Amino acid sequence: MDIQEKVIRRSPFQLSPIDSERIKTQQRVIDYFYKEGLLPKPLDIKEVLLTPEQYAAITPTSVVSQL
């Protein structure tokens, strides 16, 4: 099993708001993938996140009710 598959298998998939802890976790994954040569350049997750308003506009009400 390769490292990408291990990371995906160990990651919990659940509905939850995007908070500062989740952002930090995602940045650590991005940094690791870059370090391992899986990404061509470093990325800053904060540069690609949608604003809260953008998330609200695209999130179905049935999903919001589960949070």
Side-chain angles (χ1 to χ4, degrees):
M1 179 181 318
D2 66 1
I3 191 67
Q4 295 163 333
E5 193 173 340
K6 283 183 183 181
V7 168
I8 291 169
R9 287 181 186 269
R10 291 179 183 177
S11 297
F13 292 96
Q14 60 189 4
L15 293 175
S16 60
I18 297 175
D19 58 16
S20 61
E21 192 57 38
R22 184 166 305 276
I23 292 169
K24 287 178 192 174
T25 300
Q26 291 297 312
Q27 186 64 55
R28 283 194 301 268
V29 171
I30 289 169
D31 293 344
Y32 179 78
F33 281 8
Y34 173 70
K35 179 181 146 206
E36 294 299 314
L38 302 171
L39 295 172
K41 64 180 184 174
L43 299 172
D44 181 354
I45 187 131
K46 291 178 184 175
E47 292 179 3
V48 297
L49 289 175
L50 299 175
T51 66
E53 295 78 20
Q54 290 169 317
Y55 279 115
I58 64 169
T59 305
T61 54
S62 60
V63 172
V64 173
S65 66
Q66 295 177 37
L67 297 176

